[in-house]
Amino acid sequence: MSKMKHGFFLLTIVIAGMAMSNSYHLQLLTFIGINTLLALGLNMLMGYAGQISLGHAAFYGLGAYTSAVLSATMNWSPWLALFAAIVLTTLVAFLVALPMLKLSGYYLGMGTLGFGMIVFILIRQWSTVTGGDSGLVGIPALSLGPLSLASGKAYFYLVWAVVLMCFVICERVVDSRVGRALRAIHDGEHVAAAMGIDTSRLKVGVFVLSAVFAALAGFLYAHLVSFISPNSFDFLVSVRIVTMVVIGGMASIWGSLLGASLLTLLPEWLHVFTDYEMVVYGLILMTIMIFLPQGLTRGLLDLYEQSRTIYRRPATSQEPTANR
Amino acid sequence: MNSSEPITGTPQPLLRVKSVGKSFGGIQALCNVTFEVAPETIHAVIGPNGAGKTTLFNVITGAYEPEDGQIVYENREIQGKKVHEVVAQGIARTFQNVELFGSMTVLENVLVGRHVRMHCGFLGAIGRWPRVRNEEREARDYAWELLEFVGLEKMAHHRSADLPFGWQRFLEIARALATQPRLLLLDEPASGLNAVETQQLGDLLLQIRSRGITLLLVEHDMDLTMGISDRIVVLHQGRRLAEGTPREIQCNDAVICAYLGSDEDMRGLS
Ligand SMILES: Nc1ncnc2c1ncn2[C@@H]1O[C@H](COP(=O)(O)OP(=O)(O)OP(=O)(O)O)[C@@H](O)[C@H]1O
Ligand SMILES: [Mg+2]
């Protein structure tokens, strides 16, 4: 079942890659892939474990800047730089998560928000290394041995191969001891603990996982555009990632793809959008929360199923044998 | 019969509650509570509403730290340990108001109970190497067996929140059993059950005891409690009022008085 889904996914990527000749479209699809990674990571944290992060752009930036600085300024191989970026992100996420995940609800939101701002300010102010507001140029293109990934098409395949890999990773995590424990924490943290789940440890774990996904996305972004500046990693970006998850649906791996696609394409299609981006995200978030709290994917599926069952005879349901 | 010394001739107690005290603000929920639970017995804790029964469970399982006294389990002091560590040591519980993982299936709920006896972490989940797969397969077999044991195997793939209430109680027991406890704490497992289900529950609890698991049972249904318990401790306003066999408790004046003073159901107590 899931093999078939992945095969179909792979086929779609290959066909899209072959059919696509317009480099603008290819780049758009590549961006969708990168945003999908961001949404996927945050969805593991928000959708499955039920913990919010309003500072995920920080890890996105951490991945992008670590790799960019190491490869552009210090001439490291980008792949080595990627490795360093992942190690650093893991470390930072771990240190941030330890005190932070003791918080919950609003406080966790505020805490991660603050963390995102600190990283953003660091990137802007530490100009000797990061280039500050004027950004960092000359980030090398990627290559795999003799194979150059500089072309739009090659990069498109690379990004989507990574997305597919991360899909598989998420599906495996969700369908495991760890994934069940995460969902249990979401359903009731103290009950989860009473079943023997070390809740703080798992929350730290999933926070690190989602941060690493964001760093990976940052790496892919930096080497795609070859120039990065702090604005690509500000608060608005964190909100955008949250919006992608909410639109696609919490705890829906494939929903992340939908959320990322919509939020990548909408600003391209509606240019007015760019001036009022924050307002539009706010509106989207509110509308979805009120009308489709399960997200667009689940919401549409539910609507579909409702419309089907209306025409069917009501099934004889088992009556509860006792009242509460 | 108000005796606190252990019955002679019985083996080492599995659990010892030693002069435990716990208060919430001004309310003394538990005060100097002492009793022992012998292995492989059903030990009931009864008392009127607000007597401190649930608080006692929360103290034993590590959800609350007692202000005074010790909880000794298998000769080790466990008060102050984290909740999940206590489970790993072999103490499992159910809740007074059924607390299942509502978004998960019946089978998944039991599998969560199995968590503490498994090892797979994030890397194992991603890698799915043979050890992880074996572990997962064993856990599923174990969970299926438990579902059959409580009679819920046909509902395995239903969302737990969709089960009739009575079945949710049985599922909660199966989930607790999945942690492979030596001591199982049940907080009013019969409340909300109909007569037939209560009968089934009684049989189930006896079967659990015969599997070598010790039960600590908080229950208001006196027919059930008197019928299956080996020993009973009575709490009243946070204090131990009496302890003894069901027969002894039934004719204890202090107990009858305490129950008369409250608007509790007196069924089976006279
Ligand atoms: N978390 C808490 N905060 C404040 N007071 C509490 C808390 N938990 C329990 N209490 C108080 O402690 C006392 C004992 O409560 P507990 O829930 O242990 O009683 P119980 O014997 O389980 O009663 P019931 O039969 O109604 O379940 C009550 O007065 C209750 O109000
Ligand atoms: Mg209670």
Side-chain angles (χ1 to χ4, degrees), chain A residues 172 177 180 183 187 321-322, chain B residues 103 115 120 126 136 192 197:
Chain A
R172 286 186 165 199
R177 168 180 183 261
R180 287 189 298 263
R183 281 181 289 155
D187 278 0
T321 41
Chain B
S103 72
H115 180 94
C120 156
I126 295 167
E136 183 75 15
E197 287 167 337

Side-chain angles (χ1 to χ4, degrees), chain B residues 31 33 44 47 56 59-60 68 91-92 102 104 122 126 134 137 140 155 163 172 202 205 220 234 239 257:
Chain B
C31 178
V33 173
L56 176 69
V59 168
I60 295 175
D68 307 301
I91 300 181
M104 302 170 76
F122 280 93
I126 295 167
N134 283 339
R137 191 173 329 113
R140 279 172 193 271
M155 308 301 288
L163 286 191
E172 227 193 358
L205 298 189
H220 281 296
V234 187
R239 288 164 193 278
C257 227

Side-chain angles (χ1 to χ4, degrees), chain A residues 56-79:
Chain A
H56 243 52
F59 297 113
Y60 186 39
L62 206 60
Y65 268 94
T66 310
S67 181
V69 168
L70 289 179
S71 61
T73 321
M74 304 177 69
N75 284 319
W76 284 34
S77 139
W79 300 111

Side-chain angles (χ1 to χ4, degrees), chain A residues 29 57 136 152 184 274 276 302:
Chain A
L29 284 179
L136 199 80
T274 32
Y276 303 103
D302 283 352

Side-chain angles (χ1 to χ4, degrees), chain B residues 24 27 29 47-56 64 96 187-188 220:
Chain B
F24 299 101
I27 304 167
N49 287 114
K53 305 178 295 294
T54 300
T55 306
L56 176 69
Y64 298 150
Q96 184 168 347
D187 200 345
E188 303 196 16
H220 281 296

